[in-house]
PDB file of all heavy atoms in Angstrom:
ATOM      1  N   TRP A   1      12.751 -23.547  -4.693  1.00  0.00           N
ATOM      2  CA  TRP A   1      12.038 -24.626  -3.885  1.00  0.00           C
ATOM      3  C   TRP A   1      12.957 -25.657  -3.372  1.00  0.00           C
ATOM      4  O   TRP A   1      12.893 -26.037  -2.173  1.00  0.00           O
ATOM      5  CB  TRP A   1      11.033 -25.366  -4.868  1.00  0.00           C
ATOM      6  CG  TRP A   1      10.233 -26.441  -4.254  1.00  0.00           C
ATOM      7  CD1 TRP A   1       9.495 -26.500  -3.043  1.00  0.00           C
ATOM      8  CD2 TRP A   1       9.990 -27.708  -4.904  1.00  0.00           C
ATOM      9  NE1 TRP A   1       8.952 -27.751  -2.932  1.00  0.00           N
ATOM     10  CE2 TRP A   1       9.219 -28.490  -3.895  1.00  0.00           C
ATOM     11  CE3 TRP A   1      10.520 -28.384  -5.977  1.00  0.00           C
ATOM     12  CZ2 TRP A   1       8.827 -29.808  -4.119  1.00  0.00           C
ATOM     13  CZ3 TRP A   1      10.077 -29.587  -6.241  1.00  0.00           C
ATOM     14  CH2 TRP A   1       9.260 -30.369  -5.299  1.00  0.00           C
ATOM     15  N   LEU A   2      13.918 -25.949  -4.215  1.00  0.00           N
ATOM     16  CA  LEU A   2      14.998 -26.884  -3.624  1.00  0.00           C
ATOM     17  C   LEU A   2      15.759 -26.295  -2.556  1.00  0.00           C
ATOM     18  O   LEU A   2      16.183 -27.085  -1.611  1.00  0.00           O
ATOM     19  CB  LEU A   2      15.982 -27.258  -4.953  1.00  0.00           C
ATOM     20  CG  LEU A   2      15.373 -28.080  -6.097  1.00  0.00           C
ATOM     21  CD1 LEU A   2      16.437 -28.233  -7.100  1.00  0.00           C
ATOM     22  CD2 LEU A   2      15.057 -29.482  -5.506  1.00  0.00           C
ATOM     23  N   ILE A   3      16.049 -24.984  -2.639  1.00  0.00           N
ATOM     24  CA  ILE A   3      16.730 -24.406  -1.464  1.00  0.00           C
ATOM     25  C   ILE A   3      16.044 -24.455  -0.269  1.00  0.00           C
ATOM     26  O   ILE A   3      16.447 -24.832   0.869  1.00  0.00           O
ATOM     27  CB  ILE A   3      16.946 -22.874  -1.839  1.00  0.00           C
ATOM     28  CG1 ILE A   3      18.081 -22.864  -3.023  1.00  0.00           C
ATOM     29  CG2 ILE A   3      17.568 -22.065  -0.642  1.00  0.00           C
ATOM     30  CD1 ILE A   3      18.198 -21.293  -3.600  1.00  0.00           C
ATOM     31  N   THR A   4      14.700 -24.205  -0.232  1.00  0.00           N
ATOM     32  CA  THR A   4      13.946 -24.281   0.890  1.00  0.00           C
ATOM     33  C   THR A   4      13.711 -25.670   1.418  1.00  0.00           C
ATOM     34  O   THR A   4      13.663 -25.986   2.646  1.00  0.00           O
ATOM     35  CB  THR A   4      12.396 -23.642   0.702  1.00  0.00           C
ATOM     36  OG1 THR A   4      11.787 -24.387  -0.448  1.00  0.00           O
ATOM     37  CG2 THR A   4      12.523 -22.261   0.362  1.00  0.00           C
ATOM     38  N   LEU A   5      13.620 -26.768   0.518  1.00  0.00           N
ATOM     39  CA  LEU A   5      13.604 -28.106   0.837  1.00  0.00           C
ATOM     40  C   LEU A   5      14.819 -28.572   1.546  1.00  0.00           C
ATOM     41  O   LEU A   5      14.699 -29.268   2.674  1.00  0.00           O
ATOM     42  CB  LEU A   5      13.401 -28.933  -0.346  1.00  0.00           C
ATOM     43  CG  LEU A   5      11.906 -29.121  -0.916  1.00  0.00           C
ATOM     44  CD1 LEU A   5      11.986 -29.967  -2.131  1.00  0.00           C
ATOM     45  CD2 LEU A   5      10.942 -29.649   0.031  1.00  0.00           C
ATOM     46  N   VAL A   6      15.983 -28.241   1.123  1.00  0.00           N
ATOM     47  CA  VAL A   6      17.233 -28.649   1.693  1.00  0.00           C
ATOM     48  C   VAL A   6      17.398 -27.873   3.118  1.00  0.00           C
ATOM     49  O   VAL A   6      17.821 -28.520   3.992  1.00  0.00           O
ATOM     50  CB  VAL A   6      18.404 -28.324   0.783  1.00  0.00           C
ATOM     51  CG1 VAL A   6      19.807 -28.806   1.496  1.00  0.00           C
ATOM     52  CG2 VAL A   6      18.367 -29.097  -0.490  1.00  0.00           C
ATOM     53  N   THR A   7      16.945 -26.574   3.122  1.00  0.00           N
ATOM     54  CA  THR A   7      17.014 -25.890   4.460  1.00  0.00           C
ATOM     55  C   THR A   7      16.129 -26.626   5.449  1.00  0.00           C
ATOM     56  O   THR A   7      16.461 -26.740   6.598  1.00  0.00           O
ATOM     57  CB  THR A   7      16.611 -24.343   4.196  1.00  0.00           C
ATOM     58  OG1 THR A   7      17.510 -23.764   3.230  1.00  0.00           O
ATOM     59  CG2 THR A   7      16.686 -23.640   5.510  1.00  0.00           C
ATOM     60  N   TRP A   8      14.979 -26.934   5.048  1.00  0.00           N
ATOM     61  CA  TRP A   8      13.957 -27.678   5.955  1.00  0.00           C
ATOM     62  C   TRP A   8      14.702 -28.994   6.433  1.00  0.00           C
ATOM     63  O   TRP A   8      14.623 -29.294   7.634  1.00  0.00           O
ATOM     64  CB  TRP A   8      12.714 -28.032   5.090  1.00  0.00           C
ATOM     65  CG  TRP A   8      11.817 -28.876   5.847  1.00  0.00           C
ATOM     66  CD1 TRP A   8      11.339 -28.781   7.104  1.00  0.00           C
ATOM     67  CD2 TRP A   8      11.196 -30.102   5.327  1.00  0.00           C
ATOM     68  NE1 TRP A   8      10.560 -29.804   7.428  1.00  0.00           N
ATOM     69  CE2 TRP A   8      10.359 -30.679   6.342  1.00  0.00           C
ATOM     70  CE3 TRP A   8      11.293 -30.808   4.097  1.00  0.00           C
ATOM     71  CZ2 TRP A   8       9.685 -31.801   6.239  1.00  0.00           C
ATOM     72  CZ3 TRP A   8      10.621 -31.939   4.018  1.00  0.00           C
ATOM     73  CH2 TRP A   8       9.819 -32.477   4.958  1.00  0.00           C
ATOM     74  N   LYS A   9      15.297 -29.731   5.613  1.00  0.00           N
ATOM     75  CA  LYS A   9      15.901 -30.910   6.106  1.00  0.00           C
ATOM     76  C   LYS A   9      17.119 -30.564   7.032  1.00  0.00           C
ATOM     77  O   LYS A   9      17.277 -31.334   8.071  1.00  0.00           O
ATOM     78  CB  LYS A   9      16.512 -31.730   4.878  1.00  0.00           C
ATOM     79  CG  LYS A   9      15.396 -32.457   4.065  1.00  0.00           C
ATOM     80  CD  LYS A   9      15.920 -33.321   3.009  1.00  0.00           C
ATOM     81  CE  LYS A   9      14.825 -34.104   2.296  1.00  0.00           C
ATOM     82  NZ  LYS A   9      15.409 -35.009   1.316  1.00  0.00           N
ATOM     83  N   LEU A  10      17.919 -29.547   6.767  1.00  0.00           N
ATOM     84  CA  LEU A  10      18.977 -29.098   7.588  1.00  0.00           C
ATOM     85  C   LEU A  10      18.368 -28.721   8.994  1.00  0.00           C
ATOM     86  O   LEU A  10      18.863 -29.171  10.009  1.00  0.00           O
ATOM     87  CB  LEU A  10      19.831 -27.926   6.898  1.00  0.00           C
ATOM     88  CG  LEU A  10      21.063 -28.265   6.269  1.00  0.00           C
ATOM     89  CD1 LEU A  10      21.628 -27.012   5.547  1.00  0.00           C
ATOM     90  CD2 LEU A  10      22.116 -28.805   7.254  1.00  0.00           C
ATOM     91  N   ALA A  11      17.391 -27.866   8.977  1.00  0.00           N
ATOM     92  CA  ALA A  11      16.793 -27.358  10.206  1.00  0.00           C
ATOM     93  C   ALA A  11      16.158 -28.608  11.028  1.00  0.00           C
ATOM     94  O   ALA A  11      16.152 -28.461  12.230  1.00  0.00           O
ATOM     95  CB  ALA A  11      15.804 -26.343  10.031  1.00  0.00           C
ATOM     96  N   SER A  12      15.656 -29.535  10.369  1.00  0.00           N
ATOM     97  CA  SER A  12      14.993 -30.692  11.066  1.00  0.00           C
ATOM     98  C   SER A  12      16.027 -31.620  11.887  1.00  0.00           C
ATOM     99  O   SER A  12      15.612 -32.233  12.659  1.00  0.00           O
ATOM    100  CB  SER A  12      14.400 -31.574   9.963  1.00  0.00           C
ATOM    101  OG  SER A  12      13.318 -30.955   9.365  1.00  0.00           O
ATOM    102  N   LEU A  13      17.365 -31.233  11.580  1.00  0.00           N
ATOM    103  CA  LEU A  13      18.316 -31.996  12.352  1.00  0.00           C
ATOM    104  C   LEU A  13      18.418 -31.539  13.843  1.00  0.00           C
ATOM    105  O   LEU A  13      18.703 -32.215  14.761  1.00  0.00           O
ATOM    106  CB  LEU A  13      19.706 -31.824  11.764  1.00  0.00           C
ATOM    107  CG  LEU A  13      19.848 -32.424  10.334  1.00  0.00           C
ATOM    108  CD1 LEU A  13      21.227 -32.152   9.789  1.00  0.00           C
ATOM    109  CD2 LEU A  13      19.508 -33.939  10.199  1.00  0.00           C
ATOM    110  N   TRP A  14      18.005 -30.225  13.913  1.00  0.00           N
ATOM    111  CA  TRP A  14      18.281 -29.608  15.306  1.00  0.00           C
ATOM    112  C   TRP A  14      16.922 -29.013  15.832  1.00  0.00           C
ATOM    113  O   TRP A  14      17.004 -28.558  17.041  1.00  0.00           O
ATOM    114  CB  TRP A  14      19.413 -28.448  15.240  1.00  0.00           C
ATOM    115  CG  TRP A  14      20.548 -29.008  14.605  1.00  0.00           C
ATOM    116  CD1 TRP A  14      21.394 -30.165  15.087  1.00  0.00           C
ATOM    117  CD2 TRP A  14      21.283 -28.655  13.391  1.00  0.00           C
ATOM    118  NE1 TRP A  14      22.393 -30.408  14.318  1.00  0.00           N
ATOM    119  CE2 TRP A  14      22.357 -29.477  13.256  1.00  0.00           C
ATOM    120  CE3 TRP A  14      20.978 -27.715  12.430  1.00  0.00           C
ATOM    121  CZ2 TRP A  14      23.259 -29.414  12.085  1.00  0.00           C
ATOM    122  CZ3 TRP A  14      21.953 -27.492  11.325  1.00  0.00           C
ATOM    123  CH2 TRP A  14      22.955 -28.398  11.241  1.00  0.00           C
ATOM    124  N   PHE A  15      15.961 -28.910  14.980  1.00  0.00           N
ATOM    125  CA  PHE A  15      14.713 -28.197  15.538  1.00  0.00           C
ATOM    126  C   PHE A  15      13.483 -29.166  15.317  1.00  0.00           C
ATOM    127  O   PHE A  15      13.564 -30.071  14.418  1.00  0.00           O
ATOM    128  CB  PHE A  15      14.493 -27.024  14.750  1.00  0.00           C
ATOM    129  CG  PHE A  15      15.526 -25.920  14.993  1.00  0.00           C
ATOM    130  CD1 PHE A  15      16.599 -25.770  14.180  1.00  0.00           C
ATOM    131  CD2 PHE A  15      15.475 -24.965  16.085  1.00  0.00           C
ATOM    132  CE1 PHE A  15      17.592 -24.776  14.381  1.00  0.00           C
ATOM    133  CE2 PHE A  15      16.418 -24.018  16.304  1.00  0.00           C
ATOM    134  CZ  PHE A  15      17.460 -23.932  15.458  1.00  0.00           C
ATOM    135  N   ARG A  16      12.409 -28.942  16.027  1.00  0.00           N
ATOM    136  CA  ARG A  16      11.218 -29.758  15.760  1.00  0.00           C
ATOM    137  C   ARG A  16      10.605 -29.236  14.504  1.00  0.00           C
ATOM    138  O   ARG A  16      10.985 -28.302  13.864  1.00  0.00           O
ATOM    139  CB  ARG A  16      10.218 -29.565  16.942  1.00  0.00           C
ATOM    140  CG  ARG A  16       9.723 -28.178  17.153  1.00  0.00           C
ATOM    141  CD  ARG A  16       8.881 -28.120  18.492  1.00  0.00           C
ATOM    142  NE  ARG A  16       8.332 -26.802  18.568  1.00  0.00           N
ATOM    143  CZ  ARG A  16       7.133 -26.406  18.055  1.00  0.00           C
ATOM    144  NH1 ARG A  16       6.439 -27.307  17.345  1.00  0.00           N
ATOM    145  NH2 ARG A  16       6.762 -25.141  18.269  1.00  0.00           N
ATOM    146  N   GLN A  17       9.636 -30.066  13.949  1.00  0.00           N
ATOM    147  CA  GLN A  17       9.108 -29.874  12.607  1.00  0.00           C
ATOM    148  C   GLN A  17       8.494 -28.540  12.269  1.00  0.00           C
ATOM    149  O   GLN A  17       8.948 -28.043  11.247  1.00  0.00           O
ATOM    150  CB  GLN A  17       7.987 -30.951  12.449  1.00  0.00           C
ATOM    151  CG  GLN A  17       7.457 -31.123  10.953  1.00  0.00           C
ATOM    152  CD  GLN A  17       8.451 -31.962  10.096  1.00  0.00           C
ATOM    153  OE1 GLN A  17       9.475 -31.504   9.733  1.00  0.00           O
ATOM    154  NE2 GLN A  17       7.950 -33.081   9.720  1.00  0.00           N
ATOM    155  N   GLN A  18       7.788 -28.100  13.060  1.00  0.00           N
ATOM    156  CA  GLN A  18       7.144 -26.709  12.885  1.00  0.00           C
ATOM    157  C   GLN A  18       8.139 -25.729  12.682  1.00  0.00           C
ATOM    158  O   GLN A  18       8.082 -24.802  11.904  1.00  0.00           O
ATOM    159  CB  GLN A  18       6.132 -26.442  13.950  1.00  0.00           C
ATOM    160  CG  GLN A  18       5.424 -25.034  13.744  1.00  0.00           C
ATOM    161  CD  GLN A  18       4.507 -24.669  14.962  1.00  0.00           C
ATOM    162  OE1 GLN A  18       4.469 -25.356  15.955  1.00  0.00           O
ATOM    163  NE2 GLN A  18       3.773 -23.539  14.892  1.00  0.00           N
ATOM    164  N   THR A  19       9.199 -25.696  13.666  1.00  0.00           N
ATOM    165  CA  THR A  19      10.151 -24.669  13.670  1.00  0.00           C
ATOM    166  C   THR A  19      11.043 -24.779  12.316  1.00  0.00           C
ATOM    167  O   THR A  19      11.377 -23.804  11.725  1.00  0.00           O
ATOM    168  CB  THR A  19      11.101 -24.685  14.878  1.00  0.00           C
ATOM    169  OG1 THR A  19      10.194 -24.577  16.062  1.00  0.00           O
ATOM    170  CG2 THR A  19      12.140 -23.631  14.888  1.00  0.00           C
ATOM    171  N   ALA A  20      11.302 -25.999  11.954  1.00  0.00           N
ATOM    172  CA  ALA A  20      12.058 -26.262  10.814  1.00  0.00           C
ATOM    173  C   ALA A  20      11.453 -25.699   9.550  1.00  0.00           C
ATOM    174  O   ALA A  20      11.988 -25.139   8.672  1.00  0.00           O
ATOM    175  CB  ALA A  20      12.303 -27.752  10.648  1.00  0.00           C
ATOM    176  N   VAL A  21      10.108 -25.984   9.457  1.00  0.00           N
ATOM    177  CA  VAL A  21       9.314 -25.405   8.308  1.00  0.00           C
ATOM    178  C   VAL A  21       9.370 -23.892   8.276  1.00  0.00           C
ATOM    179  O   VAL A  21       9.623 -23.240   7.133  1.00  0.00           O
ATOM    180  CB  VAL A  21       7.863 -25.888   8.298  1.00  0.00           C
ATOM    181  CG1 VAL A  21       7.107 -25.220   7.273  1.00  0.00           C
ATOM    182  CG2 VAL A  21       7.908 -27.353   8.201  1.00  0.00           C
ATOM    183  N   LEU A  22       9.210 -23.236   9.377  1.00  0.00           N
ATOM    184  CA  LEU A  22       9.360 -21.778   9.423  1.00  0.00           C
ATOM    185  C   LEU A  22      10.852 -21.211   9.064  1.00  0.00           C
ATOM    186  O   LEU A  22      10.920 -20.306   8.385  1.00  0.00           O
ATOM    187  CB  LEU A  22       9.015 -21.279  10.952  1.00  0.00           C
ATOM    188  CG  LEU A  22       7.534 -21.513  11.359  1.00  0.00           C
ATOM    189  CD1 LEU A  22       7.373 -21.041  12.794  1.00  0.00           C
ATOM    190  CD2 LEU A  22       6.630 -20.816  10.363  1.00  0.00           C
ATOM    191  N   LEU A  23      11.763 -22.013   9.458  1.00  0.00           N
ATOM    192  CA  LEU A  23      13.088 -21.573   9.181  1.00  0.00           C
ATOM    193  C   LEU A  23      13.296 -21.819   7.659  1.00  0.00           C
ATOM    194  O   LEU A  23      13.963 -21.059   6.966  1.00  0.00           O
ATOM    195  CB  LEU A  23      14.083 -22.439   9.882  1.00  0.00           C
ATOM    196  CG  LEU A  23      14.221 -22.052  11.437  1.00  0.00           C
ATOM    197  CD1 LEU A  23      15.128 -23.106  12.053  1.00  0.00           C
ATOM    198  CD2 LEU A  23      14.715 -20.674  11.591  1.00  0.00           C
ATOM    199  N   ALA A  24      12.683 -22.873   7.003  1.00  0.00           N
ATOM    200  CA  ALA A  24      12.762 -23.063   5.583  1.00  0.00           C
ATOM    201  C   ALA A  24      12.109 -21.914   4.834  1.00  0.00           C
ATOM    202  O   ALA A  24      12.621 -21.428   3.803  1.00  0.00           O
ATOM    203  CB  ALA A  24      12.225 -24.494   5.210  1.00  0.00           C
ATOM    204  N   LEU A  25      10.970 -21.467   5.308  1.00  0.00           N
ATOM    205  CA  LEU A  25      10.338 -20.421   4.744  1.00  0.00           C
ATOM    206  C   LEU A  25      11.204 -19.036   4.887  1.00  0.00           C
ATOM    207  O   LEU A  25      11.234 -18.283   3.794  1.00  0.00           O
ATOM    208  CB  LEU A  25       8.942 -20.107   5.418  1.00  0.00           C
ATOM    209  CG  LEU A  25       7.854 -21.109   5.261  1.00  0.00           C
ATOM    210  CD1 LEU A  25       6.698 -20.879   6.111  1.00  0.00           C
ATOM    211  CD2 LEU A  25       7.422 -21.369   3.802  1.00  0.00           C
ATOM    212  N   ALA A  26      11.825 -18.897   5.956  1.00  0.00           N
ATOM    213  CA  ALA A  26      12.667 -17.758   6.191  1.00  0.00           C
ATOM    214  C   ALA A  26      13.976 -17.760   5.410  1.00  0.00           C
ATOM    215  O   ALA A  26      14.649 -16.791   5.280  1.00  0.00           O
ATOM    216  CB  ALA A  26      12.956 -17.560   7.695  1.00  0.00           C
ATOM    217  N   SER A  27      14.425 -19.017   5.023  1.00  0.00           N
ATOM    218  CA  SER A  27      15.720 -19.106   4.310  1.00  0.00           C
ATOM    219  C   SER A  27      15.824 -18.207   3.005  1.00  0.00           C
ATOM    220  O   SER A  27      16.928 -17.879   2.584  1.00  0.00           O
ATOM    221  CB  SER A  27      15.983 -20.596   3.930  1.00  0.00           C
ATOM    222  OG  SER A  27      14.995 -21.054   2.974  1.00  0.00           O
ATOM    223  N   VAL A  28      14.689 -17.901   2.463  1.00  0.00           N
ATOM    224  CA  VAL A  28      14.650 -17.093   1.176  1.00  0.00           C
ATOM    225  C   VAL A  28      15.273 -15.680   1.558  1.00  0.00           C
ATOM    226  O   VAL A  28      15.780 -14.969   0.653  1.00  0.00           O
ATOM    227  CB  VAL A  28      13.303 -16.918   0.766  1.00  0.00           C
ATOM    228  CG1 VAL A  28      12.760 -18.194   0.244  1.00  0.00           C
ATOM    229  CG2 VAL A  28      12.418 -16.207   1.664  1.00  0.00           C
ATOM    230  N   LEU A  29      15.346 -15.222   2.824  1.00  0.00           N
ATOM    231  CA  LEU A  29      15.991 -13.985   3.166  1.00  0.00           C
ATOM    232  C   LEU A  29      17.427 -13.965   2.802  1.00  0.00           C
ATOM    233  O   LEU A  29      17.975 -12.833   2.440  1.00  0.00           O
ATOM    234  CB  LEU A  29      15.889 -13.646   4.683  1.00  0.00           C
ATOM    235  CG  LEU A  29      14.455 -13.487   5.094  1.00  0.00           C
ATOM    236  CD1 LEU A  29      14.406 -13.370   6.673  1.00  0.00           C
ATOM    237  CD2 LEU A  29      13.890 -12.081   4.466  1.00  0.00           C
ATOM    238  N   LEU A  30      18.082 -15.117   2.815  1.00  0.00           N
ATOM    239  CA  LEU A  30      19.479 -15.281   2.393  1.00  0.00           C
ATOM    240  C   LEU A  30      19.607 -15.717   0.903  1.00  0.00           C
ATOM    241  O   LEU A  30      20.697 -16.268   0.514  1.00  0.00           O
ATOM    242  CB  LEU A  30      20.225 -16.062   3.356  1.00  0.00           C
ATOM    243  CG  LEU A  30      20.512 -15.496   4.704  1.00  0.00           C
ATOM    244  CD1 LEU A  30      21.133 -16.541   5.606  1.00  0.00           C
ATOM    245  CD2 LEU A  30      21.340 -14.203   4.550  1.00  0.00           C
ATOM    246  N   VAL A  31      18.605 -15.537   0.136  1.00  0.00           N
ATOM    247  CA  VAL A  31      18.588 -15.829  -1.314  1.00  0.00           C
ATOM    248  C   VAL A  31      18.154 -14.647  -2.165  1.00  0.00           C
ATOM    249  O   VAL A  31      18.964 -14.213  -3.054  1.00  0.00           O
ATOM    250  CB  VAL A  31      17.708 -16.990  -1.601  1.00  0.00           C
ATOM    251  CG1 VAL A  31      17.749 -17.331  -3.199  1.00  0.00           C
ATOM    252  CG2 VAL A  31      18.034 -18.285  -0.855  1.00  0.00           C
ATOM    253  N   LEU A  32      17.041 -14.025  -1.766  1.00  0.00           N
ATOM    254  CA  LEU A  32      16.611 -12.864  -2.483  1.00  0.00           C
ATOM    255  C   LEU A  32      17.006 -11.486  -2.185  1.00  0.00           C
ATOM    256  O   LEU A  32      16.444 -10.540  -2.722  1.00  0.00           O
ATOM    257  CB  LEU A  32      15.018 -13.012  -2.476  1.00  0.00           C
ATOM    258  CG  LEU A  32      14.278 -14.394  -2.930  1.00  0.00           C
ATOM    259  CD1 LEU A  32      12.850 -14.236  -2.665  1.00  0.00           C
ATOM    260  CD2 LEU A  32      14.573 -14.642  -4.399  1.00  0.00           C
ATOM    261  N   ILE A  33      18.003 -11.412  -1.357  1.00  0.00           N
ATOM    262  CA  ILE A  33      18.502 -10.156  -0.867  1.00  0.00           C
ATOM    263  C   ILE A  33      19.198  -9.407  -1.897  1.00  0.00           C
ATOM    264  O   ILE A  33      20.099 -10.010  -2.655  1.00  0.00           O
ATOM    265  CB  ILE A  33      19.330 -10.330   0.453  1.00  0.00           C
ATOM    266  CG1 ILE A  33      19.939  -9.008   0.932  1.00  0.00           C
ATOM    267  CG2 ILE A  33      20.465 -11.352   0.217  1.00  0.00           C
ATOM    268  CD1 ILE A  33      20.596  -9.035   2.219  1.00  0.00           C
ATOM    269  N   GLU A  34      18.888  -8.123  -2.073  1.00  0.00           N
ATOM    270  CA  GLU A  34      19.654  -7.299  -3.024  1.00  0.00           C
ATOM    271  C   GLU A  34      20.940  -6.772  -2.321  1.00  0.00           C
ATOM    272  O   GLU A  34      20.926  -6.647  -1.101  1.00  0.00           O
ATOM    273  CB  GLU A  34      18.864  -5.966  -3.462  1.00  0.00           C
ATOM    274  CG  GLU A  34      17.671  -6.416  -4.334  1.00  0.00           C
ATOM    275  CD  GLU A  34      16.958  -5.089  -4.798  1.00  0.00           C
ATOM    276  OE1 GLU A  34      16.442  -4.449  -3.957  1.00  0.00           O
ATOM    277  OE2 GLU A  34      17.126  -4.748  -5.966  1.00  0.00           O
ATOM    278  N   PRO A  35      21.949  -6.495  -3.096  1.00  0.00           N
ATOM    279  CA  PRO A  35      22.085  -6.611  -4.545  1.00  0.00           C
ATOM    280  C   PRO A  35      22.541  -8.021  -5.089  1.00  0.00           C
ATOM    281  O   PRO A  35      22.939  -8.160  -6.280  1.00  0.00           O
ATOM    282  CB  PRO A  35      23.152  -5.601  -5.031  1.00  0.00           C
ATOM    283  CG  PRO A  35      24.053  -5.517  -3.807  1.00  0.00           C
ATOM    284  CD  PRO A  35      23.130  -5.914  -2.616  1.00  0.00           C
ATOM    285  N   TYR A  36      22.593  -8.994  -4.219  1.00  0.00           N
ATOM    286  CA  TYR A  36      23.291 -10.241  -4.535  1.00  0.00           C
ATOM    287  C   TYR A  36      22.358 -11.084  -5.458  1.00  0.00           C
ATOM    288  O   TYR A  36      22.753 -11.849  -6.301  1.00  0.00           O
ATOM    289  CB  TYR A  36      23.587 -10.962  -3.204  1.00  0.00           C
ATOM    290  CG  TYR A  36      24.339 -10.042  -2.321  1.00  0.00           C
ATOM    291  CD1 TYR A  36      23.773  -9.476  -1.160  1.00  0.00           C
ATOM    292  CD2 TYR A  36      25.692  -9.582  -2.571  1.00  0.00           C
ATOM    293  CE1 TYR A  36      24.262  -8.656  -0.321  1.00  0.00           C
ATOM    294  CE2 TYR A  36      26.315  -8.717  -1.792  1.00  0.00           C
ATOM    295  CZ  TYR A  36      25.635  -8.160  -0.722  1.00  0.00           C
ATOM    296  OH  TYR A  36      26.212  -7.259   0.138  1.00  0.00           O
ATOM    297  N   TYR A  37      20.965 -10.995  -5.142  1.00  0.00           N
ATOM    298  CA  TYR A  37      19.969 -11.361  -6.079  1.00  0.00           C
ATOM    299  C   TYR A  37      19.325 -10.190  -6.655  1.00  0.00           C
ATOM    300  O   TYR A  37      18.590  -9.475  -5.833  1.00  0.00           O
ATOM    301  CB  TYR A  37      19.041 -12.297  -5.417  1.00  0.00           C
ATOM    302  CG  TYR A  37      17.892 -12.865  -6.227  1.00  0.00           C
ATOM    303  CD1 TYR A  37      17.990 -14.030  -6.942  1.00  0.00           C
ATOM    304  CD2 TYR A  37      16.732 -12.070  -6.400  1.00  0.00           C
ATOM    305  CE1 TYR A  37      16.951 -14.470  -7.752  1.00  0.00           C
ATOM    306  CE2 TYR A  37      15.699 -12.429  -7.240  1.00  0.00           C
ATOM    307  CZ  TYR A  37      15.800 -13.719  -7.893  1.00  0.00           C
ATOM    308  OH  TYR A  37      14.729 -14.080  -8.529  1.00  0.00           O
ATOM    309  N   SER A  38      19.541  -9.907  -7.926  1.00  0.00           N
ATOM    310  CA  SER A  38      18.886  -8.675  -8.350  1.00  0.00           C
ATOM    311  C   SER A  38      17.733  -8.826  -9.289  1.00  0.00           C
ATOM    312  O   SER A  38      16.784  -8.216  -9.069  1.00  0.00           O
ATOM    313  CB  SER A  38      20.093  -7.812  -9.087  1.00  0.00           C
ATOM    314  OG  SER A  38      20.935  -7.368  -8.110  1.00  0.00           O
ATOM    315  N   TYR A  39      17.949  -9.608 -10.421  1.00  0.00           N
ATOM    316  CA  TYR A  39      16.909  -9.600 -11.466  1.00  0.00           C
ATOM    317  C   TYR A  39      16.320 -11.120 -11.631  1.00  0.00           C
ATOM    318  O   TYR A  39      15.267 -11.237 -12.018  1.00  0.00           O
ATOM    319  CB  TYR A  39      17.505  -9.106 -12.786  1.00  0.00           C
ATOM    320  CG  TYR A  39      17.896  -7.668 -12.657  1.00  0.00           C
ATOM    321  CD1 TYR A  39      19.186  -7.396 -12.312  1.00  0.00           C
ATOM    322  CD2 TYR A  39      17.039  -6.725 -12.982  1.00  0.00           C
ATOM    323  CE1 TYR A  39      19.621  -6.037 -12.217  1.00  0.00           C
ATOM    324  CE2 TYR A  39      17.348  -5.338 -12.887  1.00  0.00           C
ATOM    325  CZ  TYR A  39      18.751  -5.001 -12.535  1.00  0.00           C
ATOM    326  OH  TYR A  39      19.134  -3.675 -12.479  1.00  0.00           O
ATOM    327  N   GLY A  40      17.163 -12.055 -11.412  1.00  0.00           N
ATOM    328  CA  GLY A  40      16.711 -13.442 -11.667  1.00  0.00           C
ATOM    329  C   GLY A  40      17.832 -14.383 -11.387  1.00  0.00           C
ATOM    330  O   GLY A  40      18.867 -14.086 -10.725  1.00  0.00           O
TER     331      GLY A  40
END
């Protein structure tokens, strides 16, 4: 949740609100990707 929140704030610097939220939702792709995030 903290990762998505900070990403949302970062994206808000350069994108409008709706786009920033979508980018925050998509930020998890660079968190939960295997094998770098595997089990927990």
Side-chain angles (χ1 to χ4, degrees):
W1 181 49
L2 292 175
I3 292 171
T4 59
L5 280 177
V6 181
T7 304
W8 170 51
K9 290 189 175 184
L10 261 173
S12 296
L13 300 178
W14 306 302
F15 298 91
R16 62 188 184 86
Q17 187 80 290
Q18 180 186 1
T19 305
V21 173
L22 292 176
L23 291 174
L25 295 173
S27 66
V28 297
L29 293 172
L30 285 175
V31 181
L32 302 178
I33 178 174
E34 288 187 294
Y36 314 104
Y37 175 96
S38 294
Y39 297 91

